[in-house]
C-alpha cells in the first residue's frame, strides 16, 4: 500500500472509531475481510498451521494472530502491541443535570485528558448500551449519534479576566456538557429519553429499556491531513488508534511462515488493570491455549519480541525547553524508539538494536526519545506486557503534538513509515533474537 491511500484509510478508521468498542468492531471487519477467523473465548480452538485467527474480549480488546508453519521454538512470535482507548469524557451512571433551564450531563474524566481543548467543540455521544429488549431478554448494541448534540461553552472573557493567565478547569463543575433547553424539567431520565430517540430512528427496539451503558463524548470534527503540503495528520484519538490501525494493516501483509500476533488492549490510559487490559490475563490466556506446556511457552517467549507501539512526544517548537535537547523527535523524521532508565518504557539495547537493524534494511529513518531527567515520564503497555509474559520488548511510536488533547497532531510520513517498519518486522524470516552472553 502507498502512503496516500494508507493515510486516507487511517483517517477513515479513526473517524469511524469514536470508542474502543467501535475500534474493535472496525478492526474485526478489516481482519475478516483479510481472511481471519474469529475464535470465541468460550469455545474450543482448532488452530491450523498457516491459519489466521482473532479473538475479542469485552468488545474493546482484540488479539489477532497467524499460526506460522515454522516452529515457534526456532523463530518465536512477532508481537505488536497497542491500545484501543483514549482520554475522554465518560457519561456518569445517573448523569441528569437541569440547571437554569438547560439539560446537561454529568461526566467523568477518563484517563489523563487535556481538558481545556474540550470547550466550545461540537460533541457527539457514542458507546455501548445494554438493554432489556421488552421480550424478556437482554441484549447489547453500539451506538454513535454522529451529529453534534452537546457543547461545553467557555465562560466569556468579560466574566473571567484572568482566563488567559491562570485558567484552571474543575472537572466536577466546569465541564458538564449542555444538550438542550428544558425549562420545564421534563426530562428526568436521560436514558428513557435516549431510548425513545434511538427507537424512533430504528437503532433500538421500540420496547427497549436501557439498563446500563458505557457512553463517551467525542469531537465531531473529522480527522484531516493538514499543513500547506498536507504533511500532518490532525485528529482525535491518534493516541493510540494510529498504532492499532498500523498494526492491523501490517498483520494483513504478514506471511504464514513465522508466527505473528497483534495485541490491542483497552484501559491503557487508566492503568491497564482489568480483565481485558495489558495488566490482566487476556494475552497470557491466549498464549497458554496455543502453548499449553509452561516450559514450552517459556522457551517460545525467549525467542520472541514485542514491539509496543504507542505515540511519542514530538519536540514542540514553541516549548522546546520541555524536551531533552539531544532527544527531541521531529514530525515526519521517522518512528521513535522510546527509552527510560526507570523502565517506564521497556526498551533495552538488544531490542532497540534489532529494531534499528530492521528499519535500516527497510530504509526507514529512526529517532530516539528520552524524557527530560527533571520531568516525570508516561508509560505504555510495553513494560506491563514484558513483566506478564517475560518477552523481550521495545517501545516505539510516532512523534505527536498535543498528546491527550481532544485533537492531536502527527506526521503523515511517520504513520506510513511505522507501518513499513511493522510490516518488515512481521515478515523478517530469520530469528530476531541475540543469544544471551
Amino acid at each position: 500500500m502507498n502512503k496516500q491511500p494508507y493515510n486516507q484509510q487511517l483517517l477513515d478508521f479513526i473517524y469511524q472509531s469514536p470508542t474502543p468498542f467501535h475500534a474493535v468492531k472496525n478492526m474485526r471487519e478489516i481482519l475478516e475481510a483479510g481472511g481471519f477467523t474469529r475464535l470465541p473465548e468460550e469455545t474450543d480452538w482448532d488452530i491450523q498451521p498457516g491459519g489466521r485467527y482473532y479473538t475479542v474480549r469485552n468488545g474493546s480488546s482484540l488479539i489477532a494472530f497467524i499460526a506460522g508453519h515454522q516452529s515457534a521454538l526456532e523463530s518465536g512470535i512477532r508481537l505488536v502491541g497497542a491500545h484501543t482507548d483514549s482520554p475522554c469524557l465518560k457519561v456518569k451512571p445517573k448523569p441528569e443535570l437541569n440547571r437554569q433551564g438547560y439539560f446537561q450531563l454529568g461526566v467523568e474524566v477518563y484517563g489523563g485528558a487535556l481538558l481545556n481543548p474540550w470547550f466550545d467543540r461540537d460533541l457527539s455521544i457514542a458507546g455501548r448500551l445494554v438493554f432489556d429488549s421488552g421480550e424478556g431478554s437482554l441484549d447489547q448494541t453500539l451506538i454513535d449519534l454522529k451529529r453534534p448534540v452537546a457543547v461545553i461553552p467557555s465562560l466569556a472573557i468579560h466574566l473571567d479576566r484572568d482566563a488567559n493567565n491562570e485558567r484552571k478547569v474543575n472537572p466536577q463543575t466546569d465541564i458538564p456538557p449542555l444538550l438542550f433547553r428544558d425549562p420545564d424539567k421534563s426530562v428526568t431520565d436521560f436514558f428513557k429519553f435516549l431510548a425513545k430517540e434511538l427507537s424512533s430512528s430504528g437503532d433500538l427496539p421500540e420496547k427497549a429499556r436501557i439498563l446500563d451503558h458505557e457512553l463517551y463524548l467525542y469531537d465531531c470534527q473529522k480527522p484531516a491531513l493538514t499543513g500547506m503540503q498536507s504533511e500532518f495528520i490532525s485528529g482525535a484519538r491518534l493516541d493510540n488508534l494510529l498504532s492499532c490501525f498500523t498494526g492491523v494493516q501490517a498483520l494483513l501483509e504478514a506471511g504464514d511462515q513465522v508466527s505473528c500476533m497483534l495485541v490491542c488492549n483497552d484501559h491503557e490510559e487508566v492503568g491497564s488493570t482489568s480483565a481485558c487490559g495489558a495488566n490482566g490475563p487476556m494475552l497470557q490466556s491466549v498464549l497458554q491455549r496455543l502453548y499449553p506446556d509452561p516450559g514450552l511457552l517459556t522457551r517460545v517467549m525467549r525467542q520472541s519480541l514485542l514491539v509496543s507501539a504507542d505515540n511519542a512526544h514530538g519536540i514542540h517548537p514553541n516549548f522546546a525547553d520541555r524536551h531533552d535537547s539531544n532527544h527531541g523527535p521531529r514530525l515526519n523524521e521517522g518512528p521513535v524508539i522510546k527509552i527510560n532508565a526507570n523502565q517506564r518504557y521497556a526498551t533495552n539495547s538488544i531490542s532497540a538494536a534489532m529494531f534499528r537493524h530492521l528499519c535500516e534494511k527497510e530504509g526507514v529513518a529512526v529517532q530516539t526519545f528520552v524524557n527530560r531527567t527533571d520531568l516525570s515520564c508516561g508509560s505504555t503497555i510495553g513494560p506491563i506486557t514484558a513483566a506478564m509474559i517475560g518477552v523481550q520488548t521495545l517501545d516505539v511510536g510516532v512523534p505527536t503534538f498535543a498528546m491527550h488533547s481532544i485533537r492531536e497532531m502527527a506526521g503523515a510520513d511517520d504513520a506510513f513509515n511505522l507501518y513499513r517498519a511493522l510490516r518488515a518486522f512481521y515478515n523478517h524470516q530469520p530469528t530476531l533474537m541475540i543469544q544471551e552472553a
Side-chain angles (χ1 to χ4, degrees), residues 343-354:
Q343 287 297 292
R344 299 294 288 169
Y345 305 130
T347 306
N348 62 21
S349 58
I350 293 176
S351 60
M354 289 188 288

Side-chain angles (χ1 to χ4, degrees), residues 1-13 224-225 229-233 245 249 411-417 419-420 423:
M1 188 188 306
N2 295 324
K3 183 177 74 171
Q4 185 173 352
Y6 170 84
N7 281 329
Q8 187 55 58
Q9 289 182 35
L10 169 62
L11 297 179
D12 292 342
F13 173 78
L225 292 174
Q229 282 81 44
S230 298
E231 68 264 49
F232 305 118
I233 294 173
F245 179 80
Q249 293 300 322
D413 289 345
D414 293 329
F416 182 67
N417 282 327
Y419 154 73
R420 290 175 59 205
R423 181 180 61 185

Side-chain angles (χ1 to χ4, degrees), residues 80-93:
V80 171
H83 64 87
T84 60
D85 60 324
S86 304
C88 62
L89 303 183
K90 184 179 182 182
V91 179
K92 289 183 175 180

Side-chain angles (χ1 to χ4, degrees), residues 150-375:
V151 67
I152 307 171
S154 292
L155 183 62
I157 188 70
H158 316 80
L159 305 178
D160 185 6
R161 292 293 183 181
D162 293 326
N164 290 329
N165 299 322
E166 50 184 36
R167 184 182 186 186
K168 296 181 179 179
V169 179
N170 184 312
Q172 173 67 19
T173 60
D174 295 349
I175 63 171
L178 186 156
L179 271 70
F180 52 83
R181 285 273 294 151
D182 188 18
D184 299 327
K185 299 185 178 181
S186 59
V187 178
T188 58
D189 187 327
F190 173 67
F191 297 103
K192 286 184 178 179
F193 172 83
L194 181 62
K196 184 177 179 181
E197 291 284 314
L198 294 172
S199 297
S200 64
S201 64
D203 294 319
L204 208 62
E206 185 176 349
K207 297 181 180 180
R209 181 169 58 93
I210 298 172
L211 298 179
D212 221 315
H213 64 91
E214 292 165 88
L215 295 181
Y216 305 85
L217 285 104
Y218 72 94
D219 185 8
C220 287
Q221 185 179 359
K222 290 184 177 182
L225 292 174
T226 60
M228 293 294 287
Q229 282 81 44
S230 298
E231 68 264 49
F232 305 118
I233 294 173
S234 178
R237 303 177 298 282
L238 299 186
D239 175 20
N240 191 28
L241 293 187
L242 184 152
S243 299
C244 291
F245 179 80
T246 300
V248 167
Q249 293 300 322
L251 187 64
L252 288 177
E253 295 195 35
D256 60 4
Q257 294 303 302
V258 177
S259 293
C260 300
M261 184 173 286
L262 173 68
V263 184
C264 295
N265 289 117
D266 194 4
H267 301 143
E268 189 273 347
E269 299 291 359
V270 292
S272 292
T273 302
S274 69
C276 59
N279 200 25
M282 184 180 180
L283 175 56
Q284 199 160 20
S285 68
V286 169
L287 291 171
Q288 287 171 347
R289 295 181 79 157
L290 299 179
Y291 308 101
D293 179 77
L296 174 62
L297 179 56
T298 298
R299 294 167 65 194
V300 169
M301 287 299 99
R302 293 305 306 141
Q303 297 295 327
S304 302
L305 177 66
L306 165 68
V307 177
S308 167
D310 199 348
N311 296 23
H313 295 291
I315 185 167
H316 196 305
N318 297 341
F319 303 94
D321 62 340
R322 301 298 177 91
H323 300 262
D324 184 286
S325 59
N326 287 342
H327 303 93
R330 292 175 172 82
L331 272 59
N332 284 326
E333 293 190 13
V336 179
I337 296 175
K338 301 157 69 173
I339 298 171
N340 180 258
N342 296 304
Q343 287 297 292
R344 299 294 288 169
Y345 305 130
T347 306
N348 62 21
S349 58
I350 293 176
S351 60
M354 289 188 288
F355 188 74
R356 291 183 196 278
H357 181 64
L358 276 175
C359 288
E360 284 179 4
K361 295 181 68 174
E362 189 65 19
V364 172
V366 175
Q367 305 183 78
T368 304
F369 173 77
V370 177
N371 216 50
R372 278 182 59 122
T373 307
D374 55 357
L375 293 178

Side-chain angles (χ1 to χ4, degrees), residues 395-415:
D395 272 294
V396 302
V398 300
T400 306
F401 293 153
M403 194 180 294
H404 288 198
S405 175
I406 195 171
R407 198 165 179 87
E408 301 164 321
M409 184 174 175
D413 289 345
D414 293 329

